[in-house]
Amino acid sequence: MEKSRPGVRLTALRVLRGTVVLAGLLAFGQPVLAGGFLQGHYPLLQAHEVAAMILAAVVLLSLVVALLAWRPGGAPGALPRGQLITLVVIAVQMMLGFSRELIIHVPLGVGVLILVLKNAERVWKLPLRAPAAGAAEPSEQASPAEVDA
Ligand code: HEM
């Protein structure tokens, strides 16, 4: 079996802690920018589009880093899986935005925000140091008291 690399895991989790917060802020900003556009501040549609592209890039970067945290870092595979699902949903969301399918685009925007927040929770719940040999990874359901960050 391939040995895990605690150094890679530590660096990757540190980077991920930053990228998931950035993705959260961008996802929170999207309804605000869209609302401003709908209220008549038309340049905000351009900002909404640019923010969508930056969000997609940040989630792509998070996916690459989460893959490294998983292999060789030894972190749970749920990390890259969550980022991959989020990236695919954001790509669909952007296509729906460009084609003005707002009846799906607006509710899916809420879905994107939930996915991004779930990814952030998953990353921030993981301790920065590797679990001791033989110890289990904190599960998704672990209470905050069980997880020291
Ligand atoms: C985080 C998720 C989101 C992404 C990635 C995203 C992406 C996009 C993109 C790429 C466009 C096309 C922009 C253009 O044509 O220049 C667009 C348009 C739009 N989006 Fe979003 N969006 C998101 C969330 C939302 C949310 C939550 C709302 C509403 C609450 C919303 C409302 C709109 C509106 C009103 C338009 C303009 C449609 C039109 O031109 O008539 N979006 N979005």
Side-chain angles (χ1 to χ4, degrees):
M1 210 174 88
E2 191 190 338
K3 276 189 76 177
S4 67
R5 305 255 307 267
V8 174
R9 173 194 171 110
L10 179 67
T11 308
L13 287 182
R14 280 194 174 135
V15 174
L16 271 178
R17 283 186 173 201
T19 59
V20 295
V21 168
L22 186 54
L25 292 174
L26 286 161
F28 260 120
Q30 286 300 70
V32 177
L33 294 171
F37 164 69
L38 293 175
Q39 206 174 308
H41 305 288
Y42 298 114
L44 290 184
L45 180 61
Q46 175 77 18
H48 184 75
E49 182 188 332
V50 171
M53 287 171 180
I54 297 172
L55 176 61
V58 169
V59 175
L60 177 61
L61 174 66
S62 302
L63 171 61
V64 172
V65 179
L67 280 169
L68 289 171
W70 173 56
R71 294 281 188 275
L79 255 53
R81 204 179 314 127
Q83 298 294 345
L84 179 62
I85 292 168
T86 308
L87 188 61
V88 171
V89 173
I90 288 174
V92 172
Q93 175 71 340
M94 289 179 72
M95 286 189 283
L96 292 168
F98 282 122
S99 57
R100 273 96 169 118
E101 295 285 353
L102 292 186
I103 196 164
I104 307 173
H105 181 80
V106 171
L108 194 60
V110 180
V112 169
L113 184 56
I114 292 170
L115 285 172
V116 166
L117 292 180
K118 187 77 200 151
N119 289 337
E121 183 193 22
R122 205 174 271 138
V123 166
W124 276 85
K125 266 187 169 177
L126 279 178
L128 282 180
R129 53 183 168 68
E137 283 281 355
S139 75
E140 296 244 318
Q141 282 76 38
S143 72
E146 291 174 280
V147 183
D148 61 329

